[in-house]
Structures are given as structure tokens and as C-alpha cells.
Amino acid sequence: MIDISLRVNGEYFEVSIEENLRLIDLLRDELKLLGTKEGCGEGECGACTVIMDGETVNSCLIMAFQANGSNILTIEGMEKDGKLHPIQQAYIDAGAVQCGFCIPGMVLSTKALLDKNPNPTRAEIREGISGNLCRCTGYNKMLDATEKAIKYMEEEK
Ligand code: FES
Ligand code: FES
């Protein structure tokens, strides 16, 4: 067992973990943050995407000990004071949420993109979510949602 500490959604955790525990298992099984989904478990689908120290990672490919000392954002950390993040609201309003399985990872990839580039082109949005697979929507709804989110965030300012 190894002791690690990390911050998840602003909350500080100290945990004892097996060396072979993956980050997704730490989040889902130990911390009970079930919003992070496991699709392939092989780094292909992006359903397990979280933001670690500002960068998107596939939490199925990262060992939990590699997250020692890091700051992680999962989908549960997006809403504030009971209000959805503008990106989440925009995904709903644009009709981008169908079965919903890919959405937590998709929303976090969108957030990481907009944090770095608040006004991306449609091509840059497509590139930003290119690591996230969706079996339902054909992706155009995600592009619409991201453009809507940009408007919502500008209005909030
Ligand atoms: S579950 Fe991690 S990339 Fe598919
Ligand atoms: S909404 Fe169903 S997989 Fe994307």
C-alpha cells in the first residue's frame, strides 16, 4: 500500500492505495465519484476524461499514485452553488446529451479547451473533443453546445 494525497474538486484527500490501482478506480470506487465513466479501459474512448493540473487525462490509463499531489477536476466539481456550469447548461440546451455516457468526459474536454482558448473556431472545438467518442450524436451537437457555452460565459461576465 502507498499513501498519497490529492485534491479532487477542491477537497483534500489522503488515501492508502494499492500500487496497481488506476485513477478511475480511486475516483469511482474509493471516492464514490461515479460521474467519471469507463467505456473501453484502454485509452480509446475518452469517457473517463478528467482534468489533472489543467490538462485532460484518461483516468483509465493513469495509476492513482501518479496523481499524488495533483489537483483533479471531475464532472462533480463543475457545478457551483447548486447551479450547473455554463458548459453543462449549454450541452443540455443544445440537445447534445442523449444517452449521456460520454458527456462527463466531453464536458471536461470542452472545459479544458475553453480554459486555454476562450474563443475557439469550430475546427478547434472539433480538435478539442477529438479524444472523446460519442455513439449517439454525430458530434455536431457538441460543437453547437460549445458555441452556446461561449455565449453563456460571455453573458455571465
Ligand atoms: S475508459 Fe478510458 S479512454 Fe475509454
Ligand atoms: S450521448 Fe450517448 S455516447 Fe454520447
Side-chain angles (χ1 to χ4, degrees):
M1 301 288 279
I2 351 174
D3 295 332
I4 65 165
S5 61
L6 71 170
R7 204 168 276 282
V8 181
N9 301 333
E11 195 176 339
Y12 181 75
F13 292 95
E14 286 180 353
V15 278
S16 264
I17 53 160
E18 300 283 351
E19 282 175 35
N20 61 357
L21 189 77
R22 302 172 306 164
L23 177 57
I24 190 170
D25 302 321
L26 172 64
L27 295 171
R28 287 182 57 87
D29 300 340
E30 308 292 325
L31 305 185
K32 308 299 179 201
L33 295 169
L34 301 178
T36 303
K37 304 300 182 206
E38 179 160 14
C40 63
E42 295 178 349
E44 297 293 339
C45 73
C48 64
T49 302
V50 298
I51 298 179
M52 183 162 118
D53 295 332
E55 301 291 337
T56 53
V57 295
N58 289 327
S59 60
C60 71
L61 293 184
I62 303 265
M63 302 313 289
F65 70 80
Q66 293 177 284
N68 188 25
S70 70
N71 200 344
I72 289 181
L73 180 70
T74 72
I75 194 68
E76 289 87 351
M78 289 288 285
E79 72 166 46
K80 288 275 176 302
D81 304 325
K83 189 167 176 256
L84 292 177
H85 188 282
I87 297 173
Q88 293 174 298
Q89 192 60 56
Y91 265 70
I92 293 169
D93 295 347
V97 181
Q98 293 190 26
C99 84
F101 194 81
C102 70
I103 298 298
M106 197 71 84
V107 164
L108 287 164
S109 289
T110 303
K111 180 171 192 322
L113 168 70
L114 297 184
D115 284 349
K116 287 185 182 157
N117 178 3
N119 217 350
T121 63
R122 205 142 163 111
E124 287 169 334
I125 299 169
R126 193 180 289 279
E127 175 63 28
I129 59 167
S130 61
N132 296 81
L133 303 185
C134 175
R135 62 193 166 187
C136 305
T137 64
Y139 304 100
N140 279 331
K141 296 285 185 192
M142 277 76 179
L143 306 184
D144 295 345
T146 305
E147 288 173 347
K148 206 177 263 297
I150 293 166
K151 280 201 194 98
Y152 288 173
M153 289 159 85
E154 276 167 6
E155 282 164 15
E156 268 195 1
K157 275 190 215 154

Coordinates of all heavy atoms in Angstrom, one line a residue, residues 13-97:
F13 N -7.8 15.0 0.0 CA -7.9 13.6 0.4 C -6.6 13.1 0.7 O -5.6 13.3 -0.1 CB -8.6 12.8 -0.7 CG -10.0 13.1 -1.0 CD1 -10.3 14.0 -2.0 CD2 -11.0 12.5 -0.3 CE1 -11.7 14.3 -2.3 CE2 -12.4 12.8 -0.5 CZ -12.7 13.7 -1.6
E14 N -6.5 12.2 1.8 CA -5.3 11.4 2.0 C -5.8 10.0 2.0 O -6.7 9.6 2.7 CB -4.7 11.7 3.4 CG -4.0 13.0 3.4 CD -3.4 13.3 4.8 OE1 -3.6 12.6 5.7 OE2 -2.7 14.4 4.9
V15 N -5.2 9.2 1.1 CA -5.7 7.8 0.9 C -4.5 6.8 0.9 O -3.4 7.1 0.4 CB -6.6 7.6 -0.4 CG1 -8.0 8.1 -0.2 CG2 -5.9 8.3 -1.5
S16 N -4.8 5.6 1.3 CA -3.9 4.5 1.2 C -4.3 3.6 0.1 O -5.5 3.2 0.1 CB -3.9 3.6 2.5 OG -2.9 4.0 3.3
I17 N -3.5 3.4 -0.9 CA -3.9 2.7 -2.1 C -3.0 1.6 -2.5 O -1.8 1.6 -2.1 CB -4.0 3.6 -3.3 CG1 -2.7 4.4 -3.5 CG2 -5.2 4.6 -3.2 CD1 -2.5 5.0 -4.9
E18 N -3.5 0.6 -3.2 CA -2.7 -0.4 -3.8 C -1.9 0.2 -5.0 O -2.4 1.1 -5.7 CB -3.5 -1.6 -4.4 CG -4.4 -2.3 -3.4 CD -3.7 -3.3 -2.6 OE1 -2.5 -3.5 -2.8 OE2 -4.3 -3.8 -1.6
E19 N -0.6 -0.3 -5.2 CA 0.2 0.3 -6.2 C -0.4 0.2 -7.6 O -0.2 1.0 -8.5 CB 1.6 -0.3 -6.3 CG 2.5 0.2 -5.2 CD 3.8 -0.5 -5.1 OE1 4.3 -0.9 -6.1 OE2 4.3 -0.7 -4.0
N20 N -1.2 -0.9 -7.8 CA -1.8 -1.1 -9.2 C -3.2 -0.5 -9.4 O -3.9 -0.8 -10.3 CB -1.8 -2.5 -9.5 CG -2.7 -3.3 -8.6 OD1 -3.2 -2.8 -7.6 ND2 -2.8 -4.6 -8.8
L21 N -3.6 0.4 -8.4 CA -4.9 1.0 -8.5 C -4.9 2.1 -9.6 O -4.0 2.9 -9.6 CB -5.3 1.6 -7.2 CG -6.8 2.1 -7.1 CD1 -7.8 0.9 -6.9 CD2 -7.0 3.1 -6.0
R22 N -5.9 2.1 -10.5 CA -5.9 3.1 -11.5 C -6.6 4.4 -10.9 O -7.4 4.3 -10.0 CB -6.7 2.7 -12.8 CG -6.1 1.4 -13.4 CD -7.0 0.9 -14.5 NE -8.3 0.7 -14.0 CZ -9.4 0.5 -14.8 NH1 -9.3 0.6 -16.1 NH2 -10.6 0.4 -14.3
L23 N -6.4 5.5 -11.6 CA -7.0 6.7 -11.1 C -8.5 6.6 -11.2 O -9.2 7.1 -10.3 CB -6.5 7.9 -11.9 CG -7.1 9.3 -11.6 CD1 -7.0 9.6 -10.1 CD2 -6.5 10.4 -12.4
I24 N -9.0 6.0 -12.2 CA -10.5 5.9 -12.4 C -11.1 5.1 -11.2 O -12.2 5.4 -10.7 CB -10.9 5.3 -13.7 CG1 -12.4 5.4 -13.9 CG2 -10.4 3.9 -13.9 CD1 -12.9 5.1 -15.3
D25 N -10.4 4.1 -10.8 CA -10.9 3.3 -9.7 C -10.8 4.0 -8.4 O -11.7 3.9 -7.5 CB -10.0 2.0 -9.6 CG -10.1 1.2 -10.9 OD1 -11.2 1.1 -11.5 OD2 -9.0 0.6 -11.3
L26 N -9.8 4.8 -8.2 CA -9.7 5.7 -7.0 C -10.9 6.6 -7.0 O -11.6 6.7 -5.9 CB -8.4 6.5 -7.0 CG -8.3 7.6 -5.9 CD1 -8.3 6.9 -4.5 CD2 -7.0 8.4 -6.1
L27 N -11.2 7.2 -8.1 CA -12.3 8.2 -8.2 C -13.6 7.5 -7.9 O -14.5 7.9 -7.1 CB -12.3 8.9 -9.5 CG -11.1 9.8 -9.8 CD1 -11.1 10.3 -11.2 CD2 -11.1 11.0 -8.8
R28 N -13.9 6.4 -8.6 CA -15.2 5.8 -8.6 C -15.4 4.9 -7.4 O -16.4 5.0 -6.7 CB -15.4 4.9 -9.9 CG -15.6 5.7 -11.1 CD -15.9 4.8 -12.3 NE -17.0 3.9 -12.1 CZ -18.3 4.2 -12.3 NH1 -18.6 5.3 -12.9 NH2 -19.2 3.3 -12.0
D29 N -14.4 4.1 -7.1 CA -14.6 3.1 -6.0 C -14.3 3.6 -4.6 O -14.9 3.3 -3.7 CB -13.7 1.8 -6.3 CG -14.1 1.2 -7.6 OD1 -15.2 1.5 -8.1 OD2 -13.3 0.4 -8.2
E30 N -13.2 4.4 -4.5 CA -12.8 4.9 -3.2 C -13.5 6.2 -2.9 O -14.0 6.4 -1.7 CB -11.3 5.1 -3.2 CG -10.4 3.9 -3.6 CD -10.5 2.7 -2.7 OE1 -10.6 3.0 -1.5 OE2 -10.4 1.6 -3.2
L31 N -13.5 7.1 -3.8 CA -14.1 8.4 -3.5 C -15.6 8.5 -3.9 O -16.2 9.5 -3.6 CB -13.3 9.6 -4.2 CG -11.8 9.6 -3.9 CD1 -11.1 10.8 -4.5 CD2 -11.5 9.6 -2.4
K32 N -16.1 7.5 -4.5 CA -17.5 7.4 -4.9 C -18.0 8.5 -5.8 O -19.1 9.0 -5.8 CB -18.4 7.4 -3.6 CG -18.0 6.3 -2.6 CD -18.1 4.9 -3.1 CE -17.7 3.9 -2.1 NZ -17.3 2.6 -2.7
L33 N -17.1 8.9 -6.7 CA -17.4 9.9 -7.7 C -17.7 9.2 -9.0 O -16.9 8.9 -9.8 CB -16.2 10.9 -7.9 CG -15.9 11.7 -6.6 CD1 -14.6 12.5 -6.8 CD2 -17.1 12.7 -6.4
L34 N -19.0 8.8 -9.1 CA -19.4 7.9 -10.2 C -19.7 8.6 -11.5 O -20.0 8.0 -12.5 CB -20.6 7.1 -9.8 CG -20.4 6.3 -8.5 CD1 -21.7 5.6 -8.1 CD2 -19.3 5.3 -8.6
G35 N -19.5 9.9 -11.6 CA -19.7 10.6 -12.8 C -18.7 10.3 -13.9 O -18.9 10.4 -15.1
T36 N -17.5 9.9 -13.5 CA -16.4 9.5 -14.4 C -16.7 8.1 -14.9 O -16.9 7.2 -14.1 CB -15.0 9.6 -13.7 OG1 -14.8 10.9 -13.1 CG2 -13.9 9.2 -14.6
K37 N -16.9 8.0 -16.2 CA -17.3 6.7 -16.8 C -16.2 5.9 -17.4 O -15.2 6.5 -17.8 CB -18.3 7.0 -17.9 CG -19.5 7.8 -17.5 CD -20.3 7.1 -16.4 CE -21.5 7.9 -16.0 NZ -21.9 7.7 -14.6
E38 N -16.3 4.6 -17.3 CA -15.4 3.7 -18.0 C -16.0 3.1 -19.2 O -17.0 2.3 -19.1 CB -14.8 2.6 -17.1 CG -13.9 1.7 -17.8 CD -12.9 0.9 -16.8 OE1 -13.2 0.9 -15.6 OE2 -11.9 0.4 -17.3
G39 N -15.5 3.4 -20.4 CA -16.0 2.8 -21.6 C -15.1 1.7 -22.0 O -15.5 0.5 -21.9
C40 N -13.9 2.0 -22.5 CA -13.0 1.0 -23.1 C -12.0 0.5 -22.1 O -11.5 -0.6 -22.2 CB -12.3 1.6 -24.3 SG -11.2 2.9 -23.9
G41 N -11.5 1.3 -21.1 CA -10.5 1.0 -20.2 C -9.1 0.9 -20.9 O -8.1 0.4 -20.4
E42 N -9.0 1.4 -22.1 CA -7.8 1.3 -22.9 C -7.3 2.6 -23.5 O -6.5 2.6 -24.4 CB -8.0 0.3 -24.1 CG -8.3 -1.1 -23.6 CD -8.5 -2.1 -24.8 OE1 -8.7 -1.6 -25.9 OE2 -8.6 -3.3 -24.5
G43 N -7.9 3.7 -23.1 CA -7.4 5.0 -23.6 C -8.0 5.4 -24.9 O -7.4 6.3 -25.6
E44 N -9.0 4.7 -25.4 CA -9.6 5.0 -26.7 C -10.8 5.9 -26.7 O -11.0 6.6 -27.7 CB -9.9 3.6 -27.4 CG -8.7 2.7 -27.6 CD -7.8 3.2 -28.6 OE1 -8.1 4.1 -29.5 OE2 -6.6 2.8 -28.6
C45 N -11.6 5.8 -25.7 CA -13.0 6.4 -25.9 C -13.1 7.8 -25.2 O -14.0 8.5 -25.5 CB -14.0 5.5 -25.3 SG -14.1 5.3 -23.5
G46 N -12.3 8.1 -24.2 CA -12.4 9.4 -23.5 C -13.5 9.5 -22.5 O -13.7 10.5 -21.9
A47 N -14.3 8.4 -22.3 CA -15.4 8.5 -21.3 C -14.8 8.8 -19.9 O -15.5 9.3 -19.0 CB -16.2 7.2 -21.3
C48 N -13.6 8.4 -19.6 CA -13.0 8.5 -18.3 C -12.2 9.8 -18.1 O -11.5 10.0 -17.2 CB -12.1 7.4 -18.1 SG -10.7 7.4 -19.2
T49 N -12.4 10.8 -19.1 CA -11.6 12.0 -19.0 C -11.8 12.8 -17.7 O -13.0 13.0 -17.3 CB -12.0 12.9 -20.2 OG1 -11.7 12.2 -21.4 CG2 -11.1 14.2 -20.2
V50 N -10.8 13.2 -17.1 CA -10.8 14.2 -16.0 C -9.7 15.2 -16.3 O -8.9 15.0 -17.2 CB -10.6 13.5 -14.6 CG1 -11.7 12.5 -14.3 CG2 -9.2 12.9 -14.5
I51 N -9.8 16.3 -15.6 CA -8.7 17.3 -15.7 C -7.8 17.2 -14.5 O -8.2 17.3 -13.4 CB -9.3 18.8 -15.8 CG1 -10.2 18.9 -17.0 CG2 -8.2 19.8 -15.9 CD1 -10.9 20.2 -17.2
M52 N -6.5 17.0 -14.8 CA -5.5 16.9 -13.8 C -4.5 18.0 -14.0 O -3.8 18.0 -15.0 CB -4.8 15.5 -13.9 CG -3.8 15.2 -12.8 SD -3.5 13.4 -12.7 CE -1.8 13.4 -13.2
D53 N -4.4 18.9 -13.0 CA -3.4 20.0 -13.1 C -3.6 20.7 -14.4 O -2.6 21.0 -15.1 CB -2.0 19.5 -12.9 CG -1.8 19.0 -11.5 OD1 -2.5 19.5 -10.6 OD2 -0.9 18.1 -11.3
G54 N -4.8 20.9 -14.8 CA -5.1 21.8 -16.0 C -5.1 21.0 -17.3 O -5.5 21.6 -18.3
E55 N -4.8 19.8 -17.3 CA -4.7 19.0 -18.6 C -5.7 17.8 -18.5 O -5.8 17.2 -17.5 CB -3.3 18.4 -18.8 CG -2.2 19.5 -18.9 CD -2.2 20.3 -20.1 OE1 -2.8 19.9 -21.1 OE2 -1.7 21.5 -20.0
T56 N -6.3 17.6 -19.7 CA -7.2 16.4 -19.7 C -6.3 15.1 -19.7 O -5.3 15.0 -20.3 CB -8.1 16.3 -20.9 OG1 -7.3 16.5 -22.1 CG2 -9.1 17.5 -20.9
V57 N -6.8 14.1 -18.9 CA -6.1 12.8 -18.9 C -7.2 11.7 -19.0 O -8.3 11.9 -18.6 CB -5.3 12.6 -17.6 CG1 -4.1 13.5 -17.6 CG2 -6.1 12.6 -16.4
N58 N -6.8 10.6 -19.5 CA -7.7 9.4 -19.5 C -7.4 8.7 -18.1 O -6.4 8.1 -17.9 CB -7.4 8.5 -20.6 CG -7.8 9.0 -22.0 OD1 -8.8 9.7 -22.0 ND2 -7.1 8.7 -23.0
S59 N -8.4 8.8 -17.2 CA -8.1 8.3 -15.9 C -8.0 6.8 -15.9 O -7.6 6.2 -14.8 CB -9.2 8.8 -14.9 OG -10.5 8.3 -15.3
C60 N -8.4 6.1 -17.0 CA -8.2 4.6 -17.0 C -6.7 4.3 -17.3 O -6.3 3.1 -17.1 CB -9.1 4.0 -18.1 SG -8.7 4.3 -19.8
L61 N -6.0 5.3 -17.8 CA -4.6 5.0 -18.1 C -3.6 5.5 -17.1 O -2.4 5.2 -17.2 CB -4.2 5.7 -19.5 CG -4.9 5.1 -20.7 CD1 -4.3 5.9 -22.0 CD2 -4.7 3.6 -20.9
I62 N -4.1 6.2 -16.1 CA -3.2 6.8 -15.1 C -3.3 6.0 -13.8 O -4.4 5.7 -13.4 CB -3.6 8.3 -14.8 CG1 -3.7 9.1 -16.0 CG2 -2.8 8.9 -13.7 CD1 -2.5 9.9 -16.3
M63 N -2.1 5.7 -13.3 CA -2.2 5.0 -12.0 C -2.5 6.0 -10.9 O -2.0 7.2 -11.0 CB -0.8 4.3 -11.7 CG -0.4 3.3 -12.8 SD -1.7 2.1 -13.3 CE -1.9 1.1 -11.8
A64 N -3.2 5.6 -9.9 CA -3.6 6.5 -8.8 C -2.4 7.2 -8.2 O -2.4 8.3 -7.8 CB -4.5 5.8 -7.8
F65 N -1.3 6.4 -8.0 CA -0.1 7.0 -7.3 C 0.5 8.2 -8.1 O 1.1 9.1 -7.6 CB 0.9 6.0 -7.0 CG 1.7 5.4 -8.2 CD1 2.7 6.1 -8.7 CD2 1.3 4.2 -8.7 CE1 3.4 5.6 -9.8 CE2 2.0 3.6 -9.8 CZ 3.1 4.3 -10.3
Q66 N 0.2 8.1 -9.5 CA 0.7 9.2 -10.3 C 0.0 10.5 -10.1 O 0.4 11.6 -10.5 CB 0.6 8.9 -11.8 CG 1.5 7.7 -12.2 CD 1.3 7.4 -13.7 OE1 0.3 6.7 -14.0 NE2 2.2 7.8 -14.6
A67 N -1.2 10.4 -9.4 CA -2.0 11.6 -9.1 C -1.6 12.2 -7.8 O -2.2 13.2 -7.3 CB -3.4 11.3 -9.1
N68 N -0.6 11.6 -7.1 CA -0.1 12.2 -5.8 C 0.3 13.6 -5.9 O 1.0 14.0 -6.8 CB 1.1 11.3 -5.3 CG 1.5 11.7 -3.9 OD1 0.6 12.2 -3.1 ND2 2.7 11.5 -3.6
G69 N -0.3 14.5 -5.1 CA 0.0 15.9 -5.1 C -0.7 16.7 -6.1 O -0.5 17.9 -6.3
S70 N -1.6 16.1 -6.9 CA -2.2 16.8 -8.0 C -3.6 17.4 -7.6 O -4.1 17.1 -6.5 CB -2.4 15.8 -9.2 OG -3.4 14.9 -8.9
N71 N -4.1 18.1 -8.6 CA -5.4 18.8 -8.4 C -6.3 18.3 -9.5 O -5.9 18.5 -10.7 CB -5.1 20.3 -8.5 CG -6.2 21.1 -7.9 OD1 -7.3 20.6 -7.7 ND2 -5.9 22.4 -7.7
I72 N -7.3 17.6 -9.1 CA -8.2 17.0 -10.1 C -9.6 17.5 -10.2 O -10.1 17.8 -9.1 CB -8.2 15.4 -9.9 CG1 -6.8 14.9 -10.2 CG2 -9.3 14.7 -10.7 CD1 -6.6 13.4 -10.0
L73 N -10.1 17.7 -11.4 CA -11.5 18.1 -11.5 C -12.2 17.0 -12.2 O -11.8 16.6 -13.3 CB -11.5 19.4 -12.4 CG -12.9 20.0 -12.6 CD1 -13.5 20.5 -11.3 CD2 -12.9 21.0 -13.7
T74 N -13.3 16.6 -11.6 CA -14.2 15.6 -12.2 C -15.5 16.3 -12.5 O -15.7 17.5 -12.1 CB -14.5 14.4 -11.3 OG1 -15.4 14.8 -10.3 CG2 -13.2 13.8 -10.8
I75 N -16.4 15.7 -13.2 CA -17.7 16.3 -13.5 C -18.5 16.8 -12.3 O -19.2 17.8 -12.4 CB -18.6 15.3 -14.4 CG1 -19.7 16.1 -15.1 CG2 -19.1 14.2 -13.6 CD1 -19.3 17.0 -16.2
E76 N -18.3 16.1 -11.2 CA -19.0 16.5 -10.0 C -18.5 17.9 -9.5 O -19.3 18.5 -8.7 CB -18.8 15.5 -8.8 CG -19.5 14.2 -9.0 CD -18.7 13.1 -9.9 OE1 -17.6 13.5 -10.4 OE2 -19.1 12.0 -9.9
G77 N -17.3 18.3 -9.9 CA -16.8 19.6 -9.4 C -17.2 20.8 -10.3 O -16.8 21.9 -10.1
M78 N -18.0 20.5 -11.4 CA -18.3 21.6 -12.3 C -19.4 22.5 -11.8 O -19.4 23.7 -12.1 CB -18.7 21.0 -13.7 CG -17.6 20.3 -14.5 SD -16.5 21.5 -15.2 CE -17.4 22.2 -16.5
E79 N -20.4 22.0 -11.1 CA -21.5 22.8 -10.7 C -21.1 23.6 -9.5 O -20.2 23.2 -8.7 CB -22.8 22.1 -10.5 CG -22.8 21.2 -9.2 CD -24.2 20.7 -8.9 OE1 -24.9 20.3 -9.7 OE2 -24.5 20.8 -7.7
K80 N -21.6 24.8 -9.4 CA -21.3 25.7 -8.2 C -22.6 26.2 -7.6 O -23.5 26.7 -8.3 CB -20.5 26.9 -8.7 CG -19.1 26.6 -9.1 CD -18.1 26.6 -8.0 CE -16.7 26.3 -8.4 NZ -16.5 25.0 -9.0
D81 N -22.6 26.0 -6.3 CA -23.8 26.5 -5.5 C -25.1 26.0 -6.1 O -26.1 26.7 -6.2 CB -23.8 28.0 -5.5 CG -22.6 28.6 -4.9 OD1 -22.0 28.0 -4.0 OD2 -22.1 29.7 -5.4
G82 N -25.1 24.7 -6.5 CA -26.3 24.1 -7.0 C -26.7 24.5 -8.4 O -27.7 24.1 -8.9
K83 N -25.8 25.3 -9.1 CA -26.1 25.7 -10.4 C -25.1 25.0 -11.4 O -23.9 25.0 -11.1 CB -25.9 27.2 -10.5 CG -26.4 27.9 -11.7 CD -26.4 29.4 -11.6 CE -26.8 30.1 -12.9 NZ -25.8 30.7 -13.6
L84 N -25.6 24.5 -12.5 CA -24.8 23.9 -13.5 C -23.8 24.9 -14.0 O -24.1 26.1 -14.2 CB -25.6 23.3 -14.6 CG -26.5 22.1 -14.3 CD1 -27.3 21.7 -15.5 CD2 -25.7 20.9 -13.8
H85 N -22.6 24.4 -14.4 CA -21.6 25.2 -15.1 C -22.2 25.6 -16.5 O -23.0 24.8 -17.1 CB -20.3 24.4 -15.3 CG -19.2 25.2 -15.8 ND1 -19.1 25.5 -17.2 CD2 -18.1 25.7 -15.2 CE1 -18.0 26.2 -17.3 NE2 -17.3 26.3 -16.2
P86 N -21.9 26.7 -17.0 CA -22.5 27.1 -18.3 C -22.2 26.1 -19.4 O -23.0 25.9 -20.3 CB -21.7 28.5 -18.6 CG -21.3 29.0 -17.3 CD -21.1 27.8 -16.4
I87 N -21.1 25.4 -19.3 CA -20.9 24.4 -20.4 C -21.9 23.2 -20.2 O -22.5 22.7 -21.2 CB -19.4 23.8 -20.2 CG1 -18.4 24.9 -20.5 CG2 -19.2 22.6 -21.2 CD1 -16.9 24.5 -20.3
Q88 N -22.2 22.8 -19.0 CA -23.2 21.8 -18.8 C -24.5 22.2 -19.2 O -25.3 21.5 -19.9 CB -23.2 21.4 -17.3 CG -22.0 20.8 -16.7 CD -22.0 20.5 -15.2 OE1 -22.1 21.5 -14.5 NE2 -22.0 19.3 -14.8
Q89 N -24.9 23.5 -18.9 CA -26.2 24.0 -19.3 C -26.3 24.1 -20.8 O -27.3 23.7 -21.4 CB -26.4 25.4 -18.7 CG -27.8 25.9 -18.8 CD -28.8 25.0 -18.1 OE1 -28.7 24.7 -16.9 NE2 -29.8 24.5 -18.9
A90 N -25.2 24.5 -21.5 CA -25.2 24.6 -22.9 C -25.3 23.2 -23.6 O -26.0 23.1 -24.6 CB -23.9 25.3 -23.4
Y91 N -24.7 22.2 -23.0 CA -24.9 20.9 -23.6 C -26.3 20.4 -23.5 O -26.8 19.8 -24.4 CB -24.0 19.9 -22.8 CG -22.6 19.6 -23.4 CD1 -21.7 20.6 -23.5 CD2 -22.3 18.4 -24.0 CE1 -20.4 20.4 -24.1 CE2 -21.1 18.2 -24.7 CZ -20.2 19.2 -24.7 OH -19.0 19.0 -25.3
I92 N -27.0 20.7 -22.4 CA -28.4 20.4 -22.3 C -29.2 21.2 -23.3 O -30.0 20.6 -24.1 CB -28.9 20.6 -20.8 CG1 -28.2 19.7 -19.9 CG2 -30.4 20.5 -20.8 CD1 -28.4 20.0 -18.4
D93 N -29.0 22.5 -23.3 CA -29.8 23.4 -24.2 C -29.6 23.1 -25.7 O -30.5 23.3 -26.5 CB -29.5 24.8 -23.9 CG -29.9 25.2 -22.5 OD1 -30.6 24.4 -21.8 OD2 -29.5 26.3 -22.0
A94 N -28.4 22.6 -26.0 CA -28.2 22.3 -27.4 C -28.6 20.9 -27.8 O -28.5 20.5 -29.0 CB -26.6 22.5 -27.7
G95 N -29.1 20.2 -26.9 CA -29.6 18.8 -27.2 C -28.4 17.9 -27.4 O -28.6 16.9 -28.1
A96 N -27.3 18.2 -26.8 CA -26.1 17.3 -27.0 C -26.1 16.1 -26.1 O -25.2 15.2 -26.3 CB -24.8 18.1 -26.8
V97 N -27.0 16.1 -25.1 CA -27.0 14.9 -24.2 C -28.0 13.9 -24.6 O -29.2 14.2 -24.5 CB -27.3 15.4 -22.7 CG1 -27.2 14.3 -21.8 CG2 -26.3 16.5 -22.3

